[in-house]
Amino acid sequence: MAPVKRLLGVVSAIGAFSTVRIAPQWSLNESFLATFVALLSFQFTLLFTWNVVLYPKYFSPLRHLPEPNGNSLFMGQFTAIRTEPTGQPQRRWANEVPNDGILRYLNVFNEERLLITDPKALAEVLSIKNYDFIKPTMVRHGLGRLLGVGVLLAEGDEHRIQRKNLMPAFAFRHIKDLYPVFWAKSSELVKALTEVTQSQEEDLPTDVARCPAIEIGEWSSRATLDIIGSAGMGHDFGAIKDPKTGLNTTYRTVFEPSGQAALLGLLSLFMPFWLIQSIPVARNQEISAAAQTIRKVCRQLIEPKKQALMSKDKDPGKDIISVALSSGGFTEENLVDQMMTFLAAGHETTATAMIWAVYALCKKPHYQTRLRDEIRLNLSSIEDSSAPISAESLDRLHFLHAVCNEVLRLHPPVTLTFREAAKNTSIGGHYVPKGTRIVLCPGAVNTSKTLWGPDALEFNPERWLAPGNANSGGAPSNYAFLTFLHGPRSCIGQAFAKAEFATLVAGLVGRFEMELENPGAVMKIQTGITARPKGGMKVRMRAVEGW
């Protein structure tokens, strides 16, 4: 669009100059500026009419694809997209609009979007033609401020090289060595929560409804930040002990949804990123300051790792950064980018999954009781530091894994992500022009009734326990579970995240009986980087004796 605008400006300038010099009677007051503005306005009106009215409705090669009803004349489905939580309209359309794997919907100013709903079409986008579809520039620039241009945002050959060099750090043989770290932090979280719940009551209640309410999201974020610090960087940030640590405070500030953040996101649809970034508002200043703080912390953590690697007398450690350094495939600045990616994406997503795990188990207390019984039967008390768990011991807890998989299916932390066609290509036999936005929506695919059956919108861990369903949940394709995506661009930290998630859930449910502070309240979802309950989620927690 920018080259088109520049071309219109040049054409208008030439036209205005020629008119004033050659045919002044056709100019506006024989003024170059007035004639230029008039010509530019006329051309923009024509361009607007073509882009917003004529092309999407009468000329687009995508216009014959199925789409939801109720389009606005100029704004498509933007009202639903703006007013509903991220991914909710797409979830509804995927289940209600008949389609063969691809839906078209119109966004602001009728800009076309393709929602991919079918495993075969998803396989094309994510695996077969994955490098035909890249992250939009807006997404790369927006997330890159906080996440750095690490493996999550890199494209093409840069992404291939980064992923190849990082893969050894995320191999299962390495992840299984981190289970004791996960369990130690889970134990620390449980003990801290036990102290908090018991310190607020002189006589310990036997009824969970009389227990104090705790904001579970805050505690989850502190725990997962500590885990990614200890297991990923070999450094304990101490957020469980002290929520006012610099890094925790920084992330809580920038991850907190705000009106300014929403406004800047809306402006990004119309304005170049460099201009949005330069707007002198508090949100931009917060992100800039946060990025500087996070980069500084990352650099401080890298130096001792480099020294340990060069010294034969020191063990560089088993954390992810030490393994990445050992590969020799990263410059220091690129390694900082990787650390920024792991710190932000690695702790915020798992913390969000923890919130929804607690929510689901509070809504279905019989599953909570069943899970607690399994945990206590198979795992030593979380107070017993002499018996850390292993990957093998956790693998025996089939219902735990069923619960975790079902939470990640029904409540994916990131409900929607974008791709953009890097060239003219096709999906499912449909021609897709270069520049077309592709919508990958775990919130829609994971709850498709076509793929998951009539109870797709219900929390049902049993679907993962039927014979042969432990890894599929009974869905016909692995592409039906989109939480971690698939193919070369799938989440590189999937095994890390699932192991961390399982140990945290095991520790929390093994120790506490939990109940929502307001069980009957309608849960509203806050739109942000991840899908969290609006206003947080308070939970009453009672330590159950015997573990």
Side-chain angles (χ1 to χ4, degrees):
M1 181 60 74
V4 173
K5 291 178 180 177
R6 286 194 290 269
L7 177 61
L8 293 182
V10 171
V11 171
S12 298
I14 294 173
F17 178 80
S18 300
T19 302
V20 171
R21 294 293 300 272
I22 300 172
Q25 68 273 21
W26 294 102
S27 67
L28 291 180
N29 300 323
E30 299 186 10
S31 167
F32 170 80
L33 181 60
T35 305
F36 170 77
V37 171
L39 287 173
L40 187 63
S41 299
F42 176 70
Q43 291 184 91
F44 268 113
T45 299
L46 291 179
L47 182 65
F48 179 86
T49 302
W50 169 256
N51 285 337
V52 178
V53 180
L54 298 178
Y55 178 79
K57 295 184 178 182
Y58 302 108
F59 296 96
S60 169
L62 307 173
R63 67 188 184 278
H64 300 299
L65 291 171
E67 61 183 326
N69 295 322
N71 283 322
S72 163
L73 179 61
F74 297 134
M75 304 297 281
Q77 299 290 334
F78 183 64
T79 299
I81 294 167
R82 180 178 59 83
T83 56
E84 297 181 42
T86 301
Q88 289 297 317
Q90 290 83 357
R91 171 183 285 189
R92 185 174 67 254
W93 298 333
N95 277 316
E96 295 178 0
V97 180
N99 66 89
D100 62 354
I102 307 177
L103 284 171
R104 183 187 85 145
Y105 68 88
L106 303 179
N107 199 0
V108 61
F109 293 146
N110 289 339
E111 188 173 273
E112 294 177 301
R113 300 283 190 269
L114 293 185
L115 174 63
I116 312 302
T117 63
D118 175 78
K120 290 183 179 179
L122 287 166
E124 275 196 79
V125 174
L126 293 171
S127 297
I128 300 171
K129 302 177 180 177
N130 71 94
Y131 288 110
D132 282 4
F133 303 97
I134 61 175
K135 284 187 170 63
T137 302
M138 176 187 72
V139 174
R140 294 188 74 205
H141 285 165
L143 293 179
R145 295 177 71 182
L146 278 178
L147 273 61
V149 187
V151 69
L152 180 66
L153 298 177
E155 295 290 349
D157 290 338
E158 181 185 6
H159 173 264
R160 292 186 186 94
I161 294 169
Q162 288 188 17
R163 190 175 178 96
K164 178 182 178 181
N165 288 330
L166 285 170
M167 280 302 293
F170 290 97
F172 181 72
R173 66 179 182 276
H174 175 63
I175 298 299
K176 70 178 183 179
D177 293 334
L178 299 176
Y179 275 71
V181 178
F182 300 154
W183 190 242
K185 277 298 173 183
S186 180
S187 175
E188 185 180 341
L189 172 65
V190 165
K191 290 174 183 177
L193 286 171
T194 302
E195 290 181 8
V196 170
T197 55
Q198 294 181 351
S199 66
Q200 297 183 31
E201 292 285 341
E202 292 184 3
D203 298 319
L204 297 181
T206 57
D207 181 3
V208 68
R210 294 177 52 225
C211 292
I214 292 173
E215 169 49 53
I216 196 65
E218 177 193 346
W219 283 96
S220 297
S221 294
R222 289 159 62 182
T224 54
L225 181 59
D226 274 0
I227 287 177
I228 194 65
S230 297
M233 284 86 189
H235 179 81
D236 189 348
F237 294 120
I240 294 177
K241 295 177 181 177
D242 181 11
K244 295 181 181 180
T245 56
L247 206 56
N248 185 59
T249 302
T250 297
Y251 278 122
R252 299 289 66 76
T253 298
V254 295
F255 284 147
E256 183 67 27
S258 68
Q260 282 190 3
L263 178 59
L264 292 175
L266 181 62
L267 290 176
S268 68
L269 297 173
F270 317 103
M271 299 167 58
F273 181 78
W274 63 265
L275 183 57
I276 294 173
Q277 189 176 356
S278 64
I279 297 175
V281 294
R283 182 65 178 179
N284 273 330
Q285 295 168 3
E286 288 171 355
I287 293 178
S288 296
Q292 291 179 11
T293 298
I294 297 166
R295 282 190 174 276
K296 180 180 178 181
V297 169
C298 291
R299 289 192 182 98
Q300 290 173 345
L301 294 177
I302 288 174
E303 189 56 34
K305 297 292 181 185
K306 290 171 62 179
Q307 296 298 328
L309 194 64
M310 289 187 291
S311 174
K312 296 181 180 180
D313 300 328
K314 294 182 180 180
D315 180 8
K318 297 179 179 179
D319 57 89
I320 294 169
I321 294 304
S322 295
V323 175
L325 265 174
S326 301
S327 74
F330 297 99
T331 65
E332 182 170 326
E333 198 59 28
N334 191 243
L335 198 56
V336 168
D337 283 334
Q338 305 302 336
M339 292 176 70
M340 291 178 71
T341 297
F342 300 144
L343 277 171
H347 94 270
E348 179 66 8
T349 50
T350 307
T352 301
M354 280 295 298
I355 297 172
W356 290 116
V358 171
Y359 173 79
L361 293 171
C362 286
K363 298 297 283 187
K364 297 287 184 74
H366 61 287
Y367 285 143
Q368 185 183 150
T369 301
R370 178 178 170 182
L371 179 56
R372 186 177 303 108
D373 291 342
E374 180 187 66
I375 292 166
R376 292 186 169 206
L377 179 65
N378 290 278
L379 299 181
S380 300
S381 169
I382 203 162
E383 300 282 354
D384 186 1
S385 59
S386 65
I389 67 166
S390 63
E392 291 75 16
S393 60
L394 208 67
D395 283 345
R396 293 196 299 266
L397 277 66
H398 301 299
F399 191 61
L400 170 65
H401 290 292
V403 166
C404 290
N405 282 333
E406 185 68 352
V407 170
L408 293 170
R409 181 194 72 83
L410 188 59
H411 302 287
V414 178
T415 59
L416 182 149
T417 187
F418 293 101
R419 294 291 187 271
E420 185 176 286
K423 62 180 182 180
N424 294 333
T425 183
S426 64
I427 303 174
H430 299 285
Y431 174 73
V432 178
K434 178 181 178 180
T436 302
R437 289 286 175 88
I438 312 299
V439 180
L440 304 173
C441 186
V445 175
N446 289 8
T447 55
S448 166
K449 293 182 180 180
T450 302
L451 299 174
W452 294 94
D455 67 342
L457 295 172
E458 299 176 14
F459 180 74
N460 178 21
E462 302 284 353
R463 73 176 81 245
W464 301 88
L465 296 174
N469 285 4
N471 295 317
S472 70
S477 167
N478 62 327
Y479 284 90
F481 185 82
L482 208 58
T483 301
F484 297 99
L485 300 183
H486 291 282
R489 299 308 305 254
S490 63
C491 174
I492 194 172
Q494 176 176 345
F496 183 103
K498 293 180 78 171
E500 171 192 16
F501 183 39
T503 53
L504 286 170
V505 171
L508 206 61
V509 177
R511 168 59 60 88
F512 296 105
E513 178 187 0
M514 297 174 289
E515 180 183 279
L516 297 175
E517 182 184 35
N518 298 307
V522 177
M523 181 63 68
K524 296 182 179 180
I525 300 176
Q526 176 70 58
T527 297
I529 294 177
T530 57
R532 289 192 170 211
K534 189 174 184 178
M537 190 178 79
K538 289 192 173 182
V539 179
R540 300 189 187 280
M541 307 178 73
R542 181 181 73 87
V544 181
E545 295 183 359
W547 193 72

